[in-house]
Amino acid sequence: MANKQNIKGLLTVVGAGPGDAELITLKAIKALQNADVVLFDALVNQDLLEYAANAEQIFVGKRKGCYAYQQEQINELIVSRAKSHGNVVRLKGGDPFIFGRGSEEMEYAASHGVAVAMVPGISSSIAVPAFQNIPVTKRGASESFWVITGTTKNHKLSTDVHLAAKSSATVVILMGMGKLSEIVELFQQEGKAETPVAIIQNGTTANEKVGVGTISTIEKVVQENELSNPAIIVIGEVVRHRAQLQKVQQEVKIKEAVVN
């Protein structure tokens, strides 16, 4: 614990990565090791808290819509702990600047005289598909990708999904499971009923579940596999890469078995 007479207060917003405890940066680990207080979210792998064993650890996330703290309370907690304890780490899943409100918390802390810093994290929007061998871009299949929040602060489907459905880009939707029927309808209206879709729940963790189908079948796939939040929706031709790679890997295994 820092000497309180020398404390000016520091907030470091840190990306914890997509779920696998090994998918965190060295800089993030150093920030945790130097923390006096860690405020962590629900999607953070709690094994990471071992790097901050001597810090005060406070859960400020939400589970199934139940909030441990409202955002205003989190903002106030950041400032009060920074001024009373010293180094506060705000540990957030994925990357804090991708639908993580990290920028808002930094602005609030800075406006109250607290120094701020940011450590980027590996975003779930690209890492979770990658872990399932789905590239968000692939030559000949997708030249770009969208990353969209499925649900806005007004609890409505983002209008960007409408635009994305018209493009040939890969579409990655976070926090969109509650709007899946609306998403499916939009893509069907654009004549994309046979476009591949993957839904990955608890990506990169031991509890990971995957469902793969098309726009026309994905709702049935979700029901059969009992998929729910937290999950990422990936829409686009790149989803086919997963099956193609699995086929190649299986052929290699068969050849190896024959040789041996």
Side-chain angles (χ1 to χ4, degrees):
M1 183 82 57
N3 185 330
K4 293 186 180 180
Q5 292 181 344
N6 299 323
I7 287 174
K8 294 180 181 179
L10 169 66
L11 164 67
T12 305
V13 175
V14 174
D20 186 326
E22 294 183 349
L23 292 176
I24 190 169
T25 66
L26 292 174
K27 189 174 285 290
I29 290 172
K30 289 177 182 177
L32 286 168
Q33 290 171 336
N34 292 324
D36 295 309
V37 181
V38 178
L39 310 181
F40 64 98
D41 282 345
L43 294 180
V44 167
N45 188 322
Q46 294 192 26
D47 288 348
L48 297 175
L49 297 176
E50 293 178 10
Y51 292 114
N54 296 321
E56 179 185 11
Q57 300 173 0
I58 306 173
F59 174 72
V60 295
K62 63 178 178 179
R63 291 193 175 99
K64 296 182 179 178
C66 297
Y67 291 76
Y69 290 83
Q70 296 295 326
Q71 187 60 50
E72 294 77 11
Q73 294 173 307
I74 294 172
N75 292 343
E76 292 170 2
L77 192 59
I78 287 169
V79 171
S80 65
R81 282 298 197 278
K83 291 186 174 180
S84 65
H85 287 60
N87 294 340
V88 173
V89 165
R90 181 70 172 95
L91 191 61
K92 293 173 162 293
D95 181 275
F97 278 8
I98 299 180
F99 308 126
R101 304 187 77 166
S103 56
E104 297 172 35
E105 293 172 353
M106 290 176 71
E107 287 174 352
Y108 184 90
S111 71
H112 286 77
V114 175
V116 295
M118 194 274 188
V119 178
I122 298 174
S123 174
S124 60
S125 62
I126 55 175
V128 167
F131 237 59
Q132 280 298 319
N133 295 311
I134 300 172
V136 292
T137 63
K138 186 181 180 184
R139 188 167 58 174
S142 175
E143 299 173 355
S144 60
F145 63 96
W146 296 66
V147 179
I148 309 171
T149 176
T151 307
T152 66
K153 65 180 181 180
N154 297 320
H155 306 292
K156 298 190 181 215
L157 183 67
S158 170
T159 55
D160 283 347
V161 178
H162 297 247
L163 299 173
K166 296 178 183 297
S167 78
S168 60
T170 304
V171 182
V172 180
I173 303 175
L174 311 183
M175 300 171 285
M177 290 297 285
K179 304 291 184 184
L180 183 59
S181 294
E182 292 179 57
I183 293 166
V184 164
E185 184 177 354
L186 279 176
F187 277 81
Q188 285 177 330
Q189 289 172 0
E190 296 299 328
K192 296 184 176 180
E194 298 309 309
T195 298
V197 183
I199 294 181
I200 308 162
Q201 179 182 335
N202 294 317
T204 79
T205 72
N207 300 321
E208 184 176 63
K209 293 172 66 177
V210 184
V212 178
T214 63
I215 287 293
S216 62
T217 66
I218 196 60
E219 289 183 280
K220 183 179 179 182
V221 170
V222 166
Q223 186 176 13
E224 289 175 347
N225 290 276
E226 299 181 340
L227 297 171
S228 62
N229 281 317
I232 287 177
I233 304 168
V234 186
I235 305 171
E237 291 301 318
V238 293
V239 173
R240 298 188 195 279
H241 177 79
R242 179 176 183 265
Q244 291 165 352
L245 187 58
Q246 286 175 333
K247 181 180 178 182
V248 171
Q249 289 173 327
Q250 186 61 33
E251 288 173 352
V252 171
K253 287 180 181 178
I254 291 172
K255 288 179 181 178
E256 288 178 347
V258 170
V259 171
N260 296 328

